[in-house]
Amino acid sequence: MAQQARAIKTRQAILQSAAAVFAERGYERTTIGEILVRAGVTKGALYFHFASKEDLALGVLDAQMLDVPLPPQAIKLQELADQAFLLAHRLQRDALVRASVALALDSGAVGVDRVAPFRAWIDQVSEILMVAKARGELLVHVDVTDTASLFSGAFSGVQAMSQILCDRKDLIHRVSVLLQHFMPSICTPALLTGLGLTEEYGRKLGAEYDANRHRRDQANFAETDD
């Protein structure tokens, strides 16, 4: 178990370093050598975890996906709001997630499948909406596929604007506004009052996520020391 925990720690250090170099130099100009120096690991250690620079970039892109699962909610649409709030929270605090989003938008990243993170996000939203539809939470006119694409695109635009205007300092607020305008267009009226869509709710959710992640990391460190 200790060896596995050390491997996880090494992989994370490589990803963090790659993300930092990608952010500074762009994907095309980044070299494996620069990542090795930043991470302080051997070439063998890097290639044990990642087969190529492209594979490493895909690992950075995967950072957008949640690494601590969210608890299920009584109203399925709340899980959609929770996903949006938490991605906003992580974009504000996690350099790896910010680099992942920047890489997904880097038109110079030739050879990297930048479609994958967008598709994964749309698919995740679609899954939530399909369950919500089965539970009778959606208005009858809502098309799951179109709505998932619209929401994903709207979130992408909001976070990009927030980044340009204020380095995402107001992103939780902007996501709250997005949700408060979006949800009434898809959710049955009886359920709207039961949804947590406020900025205060989003900040509380982010604090709970940080606490759960800290507990997980502490457990991993304990395993490494054993």
Side-chain angles (χ1 to χ4, degrees):
M1 292 296 290
Q3 184 176 2
Q4 182 182 11
R6 281 193 294 271
I8 292 172
K9 189 175 180 180
T10 298
R11 185 180 190 278
Q12 192 67 13
I14 294 170
L15 281 175
Q16 292 282 359
S17 299
V21 181
F22 287 152
E24 292 168 11
R25 295 180 54 77
Y27 174 79
E28 284 300 307
R29 291 195 298 163
T30 294
T31 66
I32 290 292
E34 289 170 318
I35 295 170
L36 290 174
V37 171
R38 186 71 63 94
V41 300
T42 66
K43 186 179 291 187
L46 186 147
Y47 283 115
F48 175 80
H49 293 283
F50 302 99
S52 63
K53 188 174 81 167
E54 180 182 352
D55 192 32
L56 188 50
L58 293 175
V60 172
L61 288 171
D62 283 343
Q64 294 180 44
M65 306 310 293
L66 277 177
D67 54 354
V68 176
L70 282 171
Q73 298 286 355
I75 302 175
K76 192 66 179 179
L77 284 176
Q78 183 65 61
E79 295 179 23
L80 177 57
D82 290 356
Q83 293 280 5
F85 275 131
L86 277 187
L87 183 52
H89 173 79
R90 294 167 73 224
L91 279 166
Q92 288 180 325
R93 295 170 177 264
D94 192 327
L96 180 55
V97 177
R98 289 196 296 273
S100 176
V101 170
L103 183 59
L105 298 174
D106 182 359
S107 59
V110 179
V112 178
D113 181 12
R114 296 186 298 122
V115 172
F118 288 101
R119 176 52 57 194
W121 177 239
I122 292 171
D123 288 347
Q124 193 173 67
V125 173
S126 294
E127 289 174 10
I128 293 173
L129 291 175
M130 282 190 289
V131 175
K133 188 178 185 69
R135 292 183 181 181
E137 296 178 9
L138 300 184
L139 296 172
V140 293
H141 70 274
V142 174
D143 179 276
V144 166
T145 302
D146 288 343
T147 302
S149 295
L150 173 64
F151 183 76
S152 301
F155 182 94
S156 296
V158 163
Q159 73 82 24
M161 182 170 65
S162 178
Q163 178 196 10
I164 293 168
L165 292 177
C166 61
D167 196 27
R168 298 193 180 100
K169 290 182 177 64
D170 67 353
L171 186 53
I172 300 297
H173 170 72
R174 288 184 182 275
V175 169
S176 174
V177 172
L178 169 64
L179 289 167
Q180 290 180 51
H181 282 74
F182 180 80
M183 286 297 185
S185 70
I186 67 169
C187 180
T188 54
L191 296 178
L192 274 176
T193 57
L195 293 176
L197 307 176
T198 65
E199 185 175 351
E200 180 182 5
Y201 174 89
R203 294 192 183 282
K204 180 181 177 182
L205 187 70
E208 292 172 353
Y209 167 83
D210 286 343
N212 289 334
R213 189 177 184 186
H214 178 72
R215 283 192 289 269
R216 184 206 61 186
D217 290 344
Q218 289 296 105
N220 288 339
F221 291 148
E223 289 177 1
T224 304
D225 293 337
D226 288 343

